[in-house]
Amino acid sequence: MIGIAGPPILAGLTRTRSHPDMSQKPPTPLLLCADDYGLAPGVNSAIRDLIARGRLTATSVMSLCPHWRPDAAALRALKDKADVGLHFTLTDQPPLGPMPTLAPDGRLPPLGRLMGWAYRGRLNAPAARAEIRDELSRQIAAFTDAWGAAPDYIDGHQHVHQLPGVRDLVVEALAALPGAYVRLCGEPVAAVLRRRVAVPKTLLIAGLGGGLARMVRARGIPANDRFAGVYDFAGKCPFTELMPRFLEGIGGGSGSRTLVMVHPGLPDDELRRVDSLVEPRRAEYDYLRGPEFAALLDRCNIRLTRFAGLLAG
């Protein structure tokens, strides 16, 4: 079975399975989430196209970016096909309001600096906490005002929602959004080592998430229990080879709440101006919209679903 739960999205596709016995098992649900909606027009249009094709089931919105509000209505036309959440951003972009401690020059710090502050305890200082809480509230409000509803979930641009001094404020915000879920980025070490893709980076991101995972479980906040999609964007390994590795071991049955992160986009001048990740976005978009990805889902007996489909199994 291919596509999101409901009517088949690829009528007439010839099905070939390398393991015929898998057809006797229920398909495994998978949440496929595209980050960075709002970053640039080419990113927005690529994400909308993939949602319309049934090749994505969630997208995370950078509501502080100027391309969110103008393109919110076009995404709203697809609201029944995908979850739409907040991609809480605390790096590299201008914040929506004054942050004299963390962004004194009107621009949020790069990730390395923010991480250093987090693990030295600087983000737990009263002034920093107040600024982060206020900016999170502003980004939620900017999302809600343009979307017409609260976000389905919250995650973090560059995974900042996992950092000390940030994660408890994210959990606080989630507790005020009934039904909203959160992205957890943990993976079993054995799975990361077996995949052999960006192992140090993947283990670092997974390790940062332990505190957040404990917090959301203690509060009963819904979350995925498996995650994949981290790579180095260097292009040494084609995305056509990466996605099968991300899905390795997922197919063949229900019971796992797996979320895979992707970053598709169409390069344009605005994207080149605001971000260094350009051509890998095109490679992801081309692969995700093509027949090779559809065949992979079929071969692995995976159906793409929204978060509610993960809960249903």
Side-chain angles (χ1 to χ4, degrees), residues 89-301:
T89 302
L90 282 176
T91 58
D92 298 323
Q93 303 293 326
L96 290 175
M99 300 181 72
T101 301
L102 300 182
D105 60 354
R107 191 173 190 86
L108 290 159
L111 178 61
R113 187 182 306 163
L114 185 73
M115 288 181 65
W117 291 347
Y119 285 95
R120 290 196 298 269
R122 182 174 174 180
L123 301 188
N124 282 316
R129 285 183 64 80
E131 289 183 11
I132 294 169
R133 181 183 284 111
D134 289 348
E135 181 63 16
L136 177 55
S137 295
R138 287 189 291 260
Q139 291 186 28
I140 292 173
F143 178 101
T144 302
D145 185 53
W147 184 245
D152 292 318
Y153 63 91
I154 298 177
D155 60 26
H157 182 53
Q158 298 182 316
H159 315 290
V160 299
H161 65 307
Q162 302 190 121
L163 294 177
V166 180
R167 59 197 179 200
D168 59 319
L169 299 177
V170 169
V171 170
E172 179 184 291
L174 284 162
L177 299 171
Y181 63 93
V182 66
R183 175 195 293 179
L184 297 181
C185 303
E187 291 193 71
V189 172
V192 176
L193 296 177
R194 186 168 55 248
R195 186 187 305 139
R196 294 181 298 165
V197 175
V199 171
K201 179 180 179 181
T202 305
L203 291 177
L204 173 62
I205 291 170
L208 293 177
L212 177 63
R214 290 188 292 272
M215 288 179 182
V216 301
R217 287 165 185 156
R219 297 289 291 267
I221 294 169
N224 58 298
D225 60 20
R226 183 168 174 174
F227 174 77
V230 177
Y231 67 105
D232 60 12
F233 303 114
K236 295 179 181 178
C237 183
F239 195 72
T240 55
E241 297 178 16
L242 290 172
M243 184 57 78
R245 296 194 197 181
F246 295 146
L247 300 190
E248 183 180 352
I250 293 175
S254 60
S256 173
R257 299 180 185 178
T258 302
L259 185 156
V260 174
M261 165 190 71
V262 291
H263 297 81
L266 291 168
D268 56 25
D269 290 342
E270 179 63 7
L271 179 59
R272 293 185 179 93
R273 186 182 72 81
V274 300
D275 196 62
S276 60
L277 180 57
V278 177
E279 290 304 325
R281 294 183 189 269
R282 185 201 301 271
E284 292 194 24
Y285 171 66
D286 289 343
Y287 175 78
L288 293 172
R289 71 193 295 266
E292 191 172 348
F293 180 51
L296 175 66
L297 295 176
D298 196 49
R299 190 165 62 249
C300 294
N301 197 26

Side-chain angles (χ1 to χ4, degrees), residues 43-130:
V43 171
N44 294 356
S45 60
I47 290 173
R48 290 196 306 270
D49 179 59
L50 291 171
I51 291 173
R53 293 172 181 268
R55 301 300 179 85
L56 290 173
T57 49
T59 188
S60 300
V61 169
M62 299 176 74
S63 67
L64 80 175
C65 290
H67 300 287
W68 159 235
R69 179 175 289 276
D71 279 358
L75 183 61
R76 198 181 305 118
L78 300 166
K79 66 180 181 179
D80 294 332
K81 293 180 175 290
D83 295 339
V84 179
L86 176 69
H87 204 42
F88 182 38
T89 302
L90 282 176
T91 58
D92 298 323
Q93 303 293 326
L96 290 175
M99 300 181 72
T101 301
L102 300 182
D105 60 354
R107 191 173 190 86
L108 290 159
L111 178 61
R113 187 182 306 163
L114 185 73
M115 288 181 65
W117 291 347
Y119 285 95
R120 290 196 298 269
R122 182 174 174 180
L123 301 188
N124 282 316
R129 285 183 64 80

Side-chain angles (χ1 to χ4, degrees), residues 1-5 7-10 54 57 297 302-305:
M1 182 174 183
I2 302 174
I4 59 175
I9 62 167
L10 297 175
T57 49
L297 295 176
I302 288 173
R303 64 178 173 89
L304 301 184
T305 183

